[in-house]
Amino acid sequence: MSTSKQNIYWFCQLFGWSLLILVEYLAYVLESGFDPEALYLAIANIFLGITLTHLYRLMIRRWNWVRLPFFQLVPRVLLSVLVLAMIMTLVNIPIDRRLFPQYFIEEPWPTIGYLLTWGKNMLAWVLSYTAYHYVEENRNAEIERILLKTSIRETEAKVLRSQLNPHFVFNALNSIRALVYENPTKAQQGITQLSNLLRNSLLADRRKTVELREEIKTVEDYLALEKVRYEDRLTSRIELDSRTLFWQVPPMMLQTLVENAIKHGVSTAVGGGFVEVQSTIVADKLHIIIRNTGVLGDKEASGGFGLANTAQRLELLYGPEATFHIFQEEDNPFEGPVVCAEICIPTQSEGMFRRREEAAKLKN
């Protein structure tokens, strides 16, 4: 419990019990006059009430009653109220019988009255304290679940990003190797482009998202390397809406999809083919479309790790509002068979990136 909550707790204890007992004492003074022994008894009851209820507090915290299901908590609370009321009654009756014998003529009704009176007071205190901590415990448990879920999601996303690192390296090295003796200048350019890819791949482990324009530069470097490999069999087009350049996207995601497009589409076509990347904003959502020559078969077989990875990363980062679809377009006589992959990313300001910080603030 924080210091501020401790101070509030003790203030409520002292003020509440003092107000309750002194109101009853003042009523007695107005009826019977001042009696120092009655005042001492009132002060003793204040400290006894604080002591008993504080012991109840320590007990429920030690045994974690507030974490119990509601129907298991209720009987424990009622039994505690009865025990507390009985203790107050057993302490007060012998003293009151000596100080106020006129109230004990008709037994056992005074005893029952004591139990009801102290039971009512204890029930009010116990219910207030237990209900507050029951609600707070459930709130903290929910925050812990959010923190745990967010932590798991971030860990999963990091694992997915790390699995991408070696995905493209071998094909790029093969493309550069073919140029070392034939065209050293292009080989140098290829090495520069590959270093850019590797650097971005390493940074992908440290960043959840990057700007779309940065991701497109990675795609352009990759396409330039593949252009060396496929020469005239590969053409590429990139058309971006200027409004989308600064949107945040998962790093290396588009590069992986473009690589799949070439590996499972362009490379298998007899005359080669094309890869096209487009971006636009529709209904305040970022839409990215990757089109390529090819025939969509078994998604698991043809898309491999890239398709499942893309869907998981989008869901982990943005939730269910982010979508990924891949489908076969209708035959076009000018382009031939075309496979289309479409990514939809919701508005970033309402995304998932601040949930951990907000949950931590709530807990504090």
Side-chain angles (χ1 to χ4, degrees):
M1 183 181 288
S2 64
T3 304
S4 61
K5 288 185 178 180
Q6 285 276 18
N7 294 336
I8 294 174
Y9 166 76
W10 285 113
F11 172 79
C12 292
Q13 280 280 64
L14 290 170
F15 178 78
W17 279 107
S18 298
L19 181 63
L20 173 66
I21 302 299
L22 291 179
V23 165
E24 294 182 354
Y25 172 73
L26 288 176
Y28 168 79
V29 169
L30 293 175
E31 179 181 351
S32 305
F34 175 76
D35 185 344
E37 290 186 340
L39 177 60
Y40 299 149
L41 178 61
I43 296 174
N45 277 329
I46 292 174
F47 286 100
L48 180 59
I50 292 175
T51 301
L52 290 176
T53 51
H54 185 66
L55 290 175
Y56 170 81
R57 169 182 175 269
L58 295 178
M59 180 180 65
I60 69 170
R61 289 168 65 89
R62 178 180 179 85
W63 294 338
N64 289 323
W65 281 11
V66 291
R67 294 188 179 182
L68 295 174
F70 180 76
F71 291 105
Q72 295 182 23
L73 177 63
V74 169
R76 288 171 169 80
V77 170
L78 295 179
L79 180 61
S80 299
V81 170
L82 179 60
V83 171
L84 293 174
M86 288 179 64
I87 294 174
M88 293 296 290
T89 299
L90 293 174
V91 170
N92 278 270
I93 280 183
I95 301 175
D96 286 355
R97 181 179 282 114
R98 183 177 63 82
L99 295 178
F100 318 110
Q102 66 273 20
Y103 297 125
F104 292 86
I105 298 174
E106 297 181 1
E107 293 279 5
W109 301 115
T111 303
I112 297 176
Y114 269 70
L115 282 173
L116 292 176
T117 300
W118 287 114
K120 176 186 65 177
N121 297 335
M122 289 298 179
L123 181 64
W125 191 97
V126 168
L127 284 182
S128 300
Y129 183 84
T130 307
Y132 169 78
H133 282 280
Y134 187 80
V135 172
E136 185 179 48
E137 181 65 26
N138 280 276
R139 173 175 168 270
N140 289 337
E142 181 63 26
I143 292 174
E144 290 292 343
R145 284 194 290 269
I146 293 174
L147 291 174
L148 179 60
K149 184 177 180 181
T150 304
S151 177
I152 292 173
R153 291 165 72 91
E154 289 180 353
T155 301
E156 290 175 349
K158 186 174 182 179
V159 170
L160 291 172
R161 291 196 301 269
S162 66
Q163 288 176 319
L164 289 175
N165 293 342
H167 195 61
F168 58 84
V169 175
F170 300 107
N171 288 339
L173 286 174
N174 288 332
S175 299
I176 294 172
R177 183 183 60 182
L179 292 174
V180 170
Y181 295 107
E182 297 177 4
N183 194 329
T185 301
K186 282 190 175 182
Q188 292 176 0
Q189 293 175 352
I191 292 173
T192 300
Q193 292 160 347
L194 178 59
S195 69
N196 292 336
L197 287 170
L198 291 173
R199 181 176 64 252
N200 291 332
S201 175
L202 293 174
L203 291 176
D205 286 339
R206 306 174 188 175
R207 298 184 292 181
K208 297 183 182 72
T209 60
V210 296
E211 292 177 352
L212 178 61
R213 59 176 183 171
E214 184 176 344
E215 177 71 2
I216 290 299
K217 289 181 180 178
T218 302
V219 172
E220 290 174 339
D221 286 334
Y222 179 79
L223 286 172
L225 288 170
E226 291 296 81
K227 181 70 174 176
V228 173
R229 180 182 178 189
Y230 290 99
E231 297 181 338
D232 293 337
R233 297 183 64 242
L234 171 63
T235 58
S236 61
R237 298 188 295 270
I238 297 179
E239 300 176 4
L240 305 177
D241 187 328
S242 59
R243 298 174 298 171
T244 66
L245 296 179
F246 297 95
W247 278 63
Q248 298 289 316
V249 298
M252 306 303 294
M253 180 183 68
L254 298 186
Q255 184 277 330
T256 303
L257 293 176
V258 169
E259 182 176 354
N260 280 333
I262 295 175
K263 179 179 179 181
H264 302 288
V266 176
S267 65
T268 60
V270 176
F274 72 93
V275 175
E276 180 181 88
V277 180
Q278 301 174 347
S279 71
T280 186
I281 295 177
V282 180
D284 294 328
K285 293 184 178 181
L286 172 64
H287 287 255
I288 301 175
I289 297 174
I290 299 175
R291 302 173 68 246
N292 63 273
T293 301
V295 177
L296 182 64
D298 182 4
K299 292 182 182 180
E300 294 296 329
S302 62
F305 175 74
L307 300 185
N309 179 277
T310 299
Q312 290 178 24
R313 295 179 73 194
L314 289 172
E315 202 280 331
L316 286 171
L317 282 172
Y318 307 102
E321 292 187 8
T323 59
F324 171 69
H325 300 291
I326 185 167
F327 56 92
Q328 185 76 49
E329 290 187 357
E330 295 183 1
D331 289 343
N332 186 317
F334 299 101
E335 294 179 324
V338 174
V339 174
C340 179
E342 184 175 1
I343 298 168
C344 179
I345 297 177
T347 304
Q348 315 282 294
S349 60
E350 301 296 333
M352 299 286 292
F353 306 123
R354 294 186 178 178
R355 288 190 179 180
R356 187 179 183 90
E357 290 79 3
E358 291 175 354
K361 289 179 181 178
L362 284 174
K363 188 172 182 180
N364 294 331

